[in-house]
Amino acid sequence: MTTGRTTSNALFGMGNPLLDISAVVDKDFLDKYGLKPNDQILAEEKHKALFDEIVKKSKVEYHAGGSTQNSVKIAQWMIQEPHKVATFFGCIGTDHFGEILKQKAAEAHVDAHYYEQSQEPTGTCAACITGDNRSLVANLAAANCYNKEKHLDVDRNWSLVEKARVYYIAGFFLTVSPESILKVAKHASDNNKIFGLNLSAPFISQFFKEPLMKVMPYVDIIFGNETEAATFAKEQGFETEDIAEIARRVQCLPKVNKNRQRIVVFTQGREDTVATVVKMFPVLDIDQNDIVDTNGAGDAFVGGFLSELVQEKPLEECIRAGHYAANVIIRRVGCTFPEKPDFH
């Protein structure tokens, strides 16, 4: 699996550590809380009762989640050895859910350094599953309390950032600490390292446009799915819905580090993945009946991609690994995986 080129803390991720609470629900449940079958949103006041209700469902499952944390965990799983290739920063509460996240990160051999505070409880994400759709409602709570000065800027933490060669942050973290993202992105750019960002959800391109576009000049690899790409294009006035054309336009946005051409990777569910230099990469075939839960497929794709990228493999290999990881994850509940990968 490994080429021996990977060292500990070579991959750095920062984001919202959440405990996923997933349950199969019906359309009435979605309607009651005004949810779309396939979406990611931040919880509002009207969703408070949803969290109480979903834990009472018959088959409720708890999994360590949070988009970035999922991806670095999958990357670590794909790499296997050495342990702690992946570092993760984020904020949790001093509570039971926080302890679960710490334990799960340790089990996944991810080097997690959480900023712990007691004002807010550990964040949760309700994954409301209907068929092969999932509607995610995130109650960030503690995750929203990440503090740059008290964590990222601390020497022993920043030294872990400096150790990394590849950086990945989901766009979701733009709602929490854009200044932390910028500091890491600028470090990557100044040192000719690789910085990856995910568009994450339509609402990021719509309502967090300013922080998103502030960090864009430092982004070497941008990830997203077809819906996120279309929303981004619309918000930026691209006036095209052609996914390959959107990818080309995103690639040409201003960039600080001219030594690396920006790579754009847009997944489209079961349709081909589009990547620049614009090529189409077919995904692995899967029987619809084998799909258990599409929650985490996007995170898994990125994780697989990063596992090869950190080993300095070419784009084709990164995408192949991404497709492999996503194909494994959608056969299981939550962003979980078997003991060892079978990727060659």
Side-chain angles (χ1 to χ4, degrees):
M1 273 303 300
T2 1
T3 56
R5 270 199 294 217
T6 0
T7 50
S8 58
N9 307 109
L11 172 64
F12 175 84
M14 180 166 62
N16 300 329
L18 305 174
L19 190 74
D20 284 348
I21 305 169
S22 54
V24 173
V25 302
D26 53 21
K27 191 177 174 306
D28 291 346
F29 183 90
L30 295 182
D31 293 345
K32 179 176 174 183
Y33 293 106
L35 304 176
K36 295 178 191 157
N38 229 349
D39 203 9
Q40 308 97 318
I41 62 166
L42 292 176
E44 294 166 38
E45 202 51 47
K46 66 178 181 187
H47 300 114
K48 284 267 158 57
L50 179 154
F51 288 86
D52 300 328
E53 192 176 335
I54 199 165
V55 297
K56 297 192 177 91
K57 295 274 171 204
S58 57
K59 285 212 288 230
V60 63
E61 298 203 13
Y62 294 87
H63 297 284
S67 184
T68 307
Q69 187 168 239
N70 282 342
S71 293
V72 299
K73 207 174 271 184
I74 296 273
Q76 180 64 56
W77 169 70
M78 291 283 288
I79 292 165
Q80 291 282 307
E81 301 274 335
H83 292 164
K84 297 190 174 180
V85 167
T87 314
F88 179 76
F89 286 6
C91 183
I92 58 175
T94 48
D95 51 24
H96 177 57
F97 282 177
E99 289 304 315
I100 293 177
L101 289 185
K102 282 200 264 191
Q103 183 196 335
K104 294 289 184 192
E107 283 170 10
H109 306 300
V110 168
D111 195 13
H113 293 257
Y114 296 113
Y115 171 55
E116 297 180 45
Q117 50 71 61
S118 49
Q119 301 321 120
E120 287 280 342
T122 296
T124 49
C125 177
C128 311
I129 299 160
T130 51
D132 54 11
N133 287 324
R134 46 83 182 124
S135 197
L136 307 178
V137 185
N139 179 26
L140 297 184
N144 207 22
C145 301
Y146 187 79
N147 186 306
K148 177 177 169 287
E149 289 72 29
K150 290 183 181 167
H151 196 262
L152 187 69
D153 295 344
V154 176
D155 288 348
R156 67 171 186 275
N157 293 329
W158 185 251
S159 68
L160 288 168
V161 175
E162 292 179 323
K163 252 181 113 174
R165 293 196 307 271
V166 174
Y167 301 84
Y168 172 70
I169 300 176
F172 289 124
F173 201 57
L174 285 162
T175 76
V176 174
S177 186
E179 61 284 1
S180 294
I181 300 179
L182 267 176
K183 183 176 181 182
V184 170
K186 282 178 177 167
H187 167 79
S189 181
D190 292 346
N191 294 278
N192 195 30
K193 295 172 175 183
I194 301 173
F195 181 81
L197 185 80
N198 205 312
L199 292 174
S200 290
F203 80 84
I204 298 291
S205 293
Q206 290 166 315
F207 308 116
F208 293 88
K209 202 183 301 190
E210 196 188 347
L212 173 61
M213 295 320 284
K214 253 196 193 141
V215 78
M216 194 60 80
Y218 303 99
V219 178
D220 297 301
I221 306 182
I222 187 102
F223 296 96
N225 65 23
E226 71 277 42
T227 322
E228 293 149 11
T231 306
F232 180 83
K234 192 169 160 220
E235 290 296 325
Q236 294 299 317
F238 284 2
E239 295 184 354
T240 177
E241 287 176 13
D242 179 273
I243 194 122
E245 180 55 29
I246 294 170
R248 269 188 283 266
R249 299 278 285 273
V250 173
Q251 186 176 31
C252 295
L253 290 169
K255 193 166 185 305
V256 173
N257 179 6
K258 304 282 191 267
N259 296 323
R260 293 185 185 278
Q261 191 182 24
R262 182 179 292 121
I263 294 171
V264 183
V265 185
F266 290 148
T267 56
Q268 312 186 75
R270 71 186 81 169
E271 301 303 320
D272 292 1
T273 295
V274 180
T276 55
V277 181
V278 179
K279 274 189 177 170
M280 304 298 236
F281 295 89
V283 299
L284 296 165
D285 278 337
I286 185 166
D287 186 321
Q288 284 306 104
N289 301 324
D290 290 338
I291 297 178
V292 175
D293 177 7
T294 54
N295 183 19
D299 296 340
F301 172 83
V302 174
F305 187 104
L306 295 171
S307 72
E308 295 294 295
L309 182 68
V310 82
Q311 297 178 69
E312 296 168 18
K313 299 287 181 62
L315 180 64
E316 282 77 3
E317 280 304 292
C318 295
I319 289 173
R320 200 167 70 84
H323 287 161
Y324 167 79
N327 190 274
V328 170
I329 283 358
I330 56 182
R331 298 167 191 269
R332 307 167 68 92
V333 175
C335 199
T336 61
F337 36 83
E339 191 188 343
K340 284 198 162 56
D342 178 24
F343 175 73
H344 308 293

